[in-house]
Amino acid sequence: MKKRFVLIVSALMLFAAASVYAEPTPKPEEKYVEQKEMADETPSPEATAVPQVTSTPEPTQQPTPQEEPQDPEIQVNSLDLTLYLKKHALTLKSKLEMSLYDENGTKLSDAEAEISGAQETVKLHFELPSYQLGKKFRAEFSGVRSITFLGKEYKPGAQDFYIETFYWRDENGVLTRGFEFEMNADPLYNKEVYLFTSNGNQMYLSPGSYLAGDTAMVPVKQVAAHLGLNVRYVKEYNAVDVYIGDKILSYKLGSTLTNVFGKDKHENVATNVINGTAFVTARSIADAFGSTIKVWENDERIDIMYGTPTAVNDYYNQYHVNRAGIASNTKYLIWVSKSEYKVRVYQGSKGRWVPIRTAPCAIGAPSTPTVTGQFTYFSKERWDYSGYYVGPVMRFYNGYALHSTLLNYDGTEYDGRVGVMISHGCVRLHPADINWLAANIPYGTKIYITE
């Protein structure tokens, strides 16, 4: 019994040992997993070797993508622009210059074209490094006021002016390429300048006024005449004087220097001489002689209206005939002031009479006074009397006339008195004065006589 128990115990111990040391048979999938895990934990040299297989292993990294082949049909090496020029009356000659830049700011190409008033379009051609359509270029330009492209206006110096090329194919595969463009350009030009007097009448000037930058330049002699001013050239100083009475505005030709009533001053633009005509700044005349000046401006023209200069009014209004508003049918007027025993001769027009000659006279005796009023010179005669004559005789009303003092037939004075009330109503003058009047004063001249 004891021996049997020992054998059973020995058998159980052998079975337990066999259970510990025997390697169990794994399932196939468990073996793959275990090997993979072991390979991950401790790779052996054999595990790192390149396996000998016939199929290409899947790459662990994506290769650098290759650029698609460029389509030669959309490769170009130029760019062309057609610019339609806005029309102006005074388009200036200029040179349109444009440069194209890439996205890095590198200049790629330049082009230029001459502009004159006769052109309607200009063309710019740019030779460029070969590029694929769809590329855009930044453009810089000068020589015009502006360029309008795709509805937007650009001024010289603009940094956002881009020209983008393009292409597309329609459903039939027909290719459209875009590297030729049309634009509108506003060329450099001078606005036309028109001058007007205070009553709204236009000054018709030849040559006309023009702009020097933003400054209107006017032909000084013509404008001065419209404003009642006088002009003379002073060779000694190479200057043009505009004056009224003793007020003188002097322009140094070819210089900005002016002298206003004795004080030197510089204008912002020099006095310019073009084909013998001196041009001065429009405002300088107005400022010197007290004229108002009004300016209206639009895109094409500038209208300038001068008021009557106060210096001109002050000058002319010192004369009675201007303050009285006396007119004449000729450019001459004769005023006889009985109280002063003076005959004054004026030249000009109503409100702008300027005295050119003054002479003493005799008038009618108290019993036969000289008439007063406004009359018209209509006849030139000679009156002979016993022992003397008067002549020339300038009749202005019935038997009333301007004539010489009494003269002997040998030409000597019979009665040469003036400055007295002595005649039968006529106005007597010394022979030199009446002879001058008869030689220079035309029929139709106003004879104005006051007490």
Side-chain angles (χ1 to χ4, degrees), residues 258-278:
T258 61
N259 185 280
V260 184
F261 310 157
K263 295 182 179 180
D264 286 343
K265 177 184 177 182
H266 284 275
E267 300 297 328
N268 60 328
V269 178
T271 298
N272 190 21
V273 179
I274 302 176
N275 296 327
T277 298

Side-chain angles (χ1 to χ4, degrees), residues 128-181:
L128 295 164
S130 180
Y131 68 93
Q132 184 168 301
L133 292 177
K135 184 179 181 64
K136 68 178 180 179
F137 305 92
R138 186 173 66 83
E140 291 185 359
F141 65 91
S142 63
V144 293
R145 285 176 175 255
S146 66
I147 290 177
T148 301
F149 181 50
L150 298 179
K152 184 174 180 180
E153 183 180 41
Y154 300 92
K155 302 287 186 181
Q159 296 299 304
D160 61 342
F161 182 20
Y162 287 92
I163 302 171
E164 186 170 359
T165 62
F166 61 91
Y167 73 95
W168 75 79
R169 296 181 186 274
D170 64 15
E171 64 275 10
N172 298 317
V174 177
L175 175 66
T176 298
R177 304 192 303 171
F179 61 99
E180 298 176 350
F181 301 92

Side-chain angles (χ1 to χ4, degrees), residues 28 34 74 88 123 174 245 286 299 339 344 377 381 403 414 424:
E34 182 180 49
I74 62 172
H88 297 285
K123 295 182 180 294
V174 177
D299 287 342
S339 61
R344 295 182 175 90
Y377 166 43
E381 307 168 8
H403 60 67
Y414 178 87
H424 290 91

Side-chain angles (χ1 to χ4, degrees), residues 382-399:
R382 168 175 163 156
W383 293 341
D384 293 316
Y385 299 94
S386 176
Y388 64 90
Y389 75 95
V390 293
V393 175
M394 300 173 63
R395 291 176 61 190
F396 57 81
Y397 176 66
N398 294 332

Side-chain angles (χ1 to χ4, degrees), residues 101-298:
Y101 297 80
D102 66 13
E103 63 275 9
N104 298 318
T106 302
K107 183 188 288 189
L108 301 176
S109 184
D110 293 311
E112 62 182 41
E114 299 291 334
I115 293 177
S116 67
Q119 292 170 275
E120 294 184 355
T121 62
V122 294
K123 295 182 180 294
L124 297 177
H125 175 73
F126 297 91
E127 291 292 336
L128 295 164
S130 180
Y131 68 93
Q132 184 168 301
L133 292 177
K135 184 179 181 64
K136 68 178 180 179
F137 305 92
R138 186 173 66 83
E140 291 185 359
F141 65 91
S142 63
V144 293
R145 285 176 175 255
S146 66
I147 290 177
T148 301
F149 181 50
L150 298 179
K152 184 174 180 180
E153 183 180 41
Y154 300 92
K155 302 287 186 181
Q159 296 299 304
D160 61 342
F161 182 20
Y162 287 92
I163 302 171
E164 186 170 359
T165 62
F166 61 91
Y167 73 95
W168 75 79
R169 296 181 186 274
D170 64 15
E171 64 275 10
N172 298 317
V174 177
L175 175 66
T176 298
R177 304 192 303 171
F179 61 99
E180 298 176 350
F181 301 92
E182 295 182 348
M183 304 177 177
N184 295 317
D186 192 7
L188 303 179
Y189 65 94
N190 271 337
K191 297 180 180 181
E192 293 184 282
V193 180
Y194 296 90
L195 304 184
F196 299 84
T197 59
S198 58
N199 57 9
N201 292 330
Q202 183 176 339
M203 302 182 193
Y204 291 97
L205 309 174
S206 181
S209 303
Y210 69 92
L211 284 179
D214 293 328
T215 301
M217 303 294 288
V218 299
V220 61
K221 186 175 182 179
Q222 297 179 68
V223 172
H226 279 284
L227 298 178
L229 300 163
N230 303 305
V231 176
R232 64 190 172 211
Y233 172 62
V234 184
K235 184 177 181 180
E236 180 182 1
Y237 300 105
N238 190 34
V240 170
D241 287 353
V242 181
Y243 64 96
I244 188 74
D246 60 356
K247 294 184 177 297
I248 301 173
L249 167 62
S250 184
Y251 294 93
K252 180 77 171 177
L253 298 182
S255 171
T256 61
L257 179 64
T258 61
N259 185 280
V260 184
F261 310 157
K263 295 182 179 180
D264 286 343
K265 177 184 177 182
H266 284 275
E267 300 297 328
N268 60 328
V269 178
T271 298
N272 190 21
V273 179
I274 302 176
N275 296 327
T277 298
F279 288 83
V280 303
T281 61
R283 190 169 290 277
S284 61
I285 301 176
D287 290 346
F289 293 99
S291 170
T292 59
I293 190 168
K294 296 180 180 179
V295 179
W296 294 269
E297 182 175 3
N298 58 32

